[in-house]
């Protein structure tokens, strides 16, 4: 389960960001996970709960924002959902697209310090 190594990396990075801001405890970490990132949000949540023990994020809650995969169709000049498994053909004009606009994200979107 590669989500455990991803959760560990999120915890390490969130801890470093919190410490840089002068915070020694975090209550919430928000991450953006794209539909095509290869990360299973539920597995990431479970891995986060396991990996946070004994860290400054021990009491932190993980919020996962799921980002849908969207592609751009040049001929139609509009965005369309790629879906899962991905299908890169425009549903309107039936032309292929190679312009993926979203869906591969895996990033920390925010960290909230623990307030007393």
């Amino acid at each position: 389960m590669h989500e455990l190594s991803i959760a560990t990396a999120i915890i390490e990075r969130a801890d470093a960001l919190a410490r840089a801001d002068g915070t020694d405890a975090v209550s919430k970490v928000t991450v953006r996970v794209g539909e095509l990132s290869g990360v299973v949000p539920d597995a990431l949540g479970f891995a986060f709960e396991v990996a946070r023990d004994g860290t400054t994020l021990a009491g932190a809650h993980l919020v996962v924002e799921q980002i849908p995969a969207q592609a751009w169709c040049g001929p139609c000049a509009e965005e369309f959902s790629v879906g899962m498994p991905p299908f890169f053909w425009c549903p309107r004009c039936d032309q292929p697209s190679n312009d993926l606009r979203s869906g591969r994200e895996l990033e920390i979107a925010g960290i909230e310090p623990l307030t007393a």
Side-chain angles (χ1 to χ4, degrees):
M1 160 159 97
H2 74 285
E3 282 81 1
L4 183 56
S5 61
I6 293 168
T8 301
I10 289 169
I11 289 165
E12 289 171 357
R13 183 66 180 142
D15 178 58
L17 291 169
R19 288 180 191 273
D21 282 345
T23 302
D24 33 342
V26 174
S27 65
K28 180 168 81 171
V29 178
T30 303
V31 295
R32 295 170 31 100
V33 176
E35 184 177 18
L36 302 178
S37 68
V39 175
V40 178
D42 288 341
L44 180 61
F46 176 76
F48 183 86
E49 288 180 13
V50 170
R52 71 182 179 185
D53 288 342
T55 72
T56 58
L57 281 82
H61 176 68
L62 181 69
V63 175
V64 177
E65 295 177 356
Q66 296 183 37
I67 309 300
Q70 298 283 320
W72 176 258
C73 177
C76 290
E78 78 180 52
E79 225 172 53
F80 63 93
S81 292
V82 173
M84 196 59 175
F87 188 69
F88 292 93
W89 288 84
C90 176
R92 184 169 175 206
C93 70
D94 200 33
Q95 295 295 312
S97 172
N98 62 357
D99 188 358
L100 185 64
R101 295 282 171 104
S102 67
R104 292 183 290 203
E105 297 83 356
L106 181 54
E107 59 195 12
I108 296 174
I111 300 167
E112 289 186 20
L114 185 63
T115 55

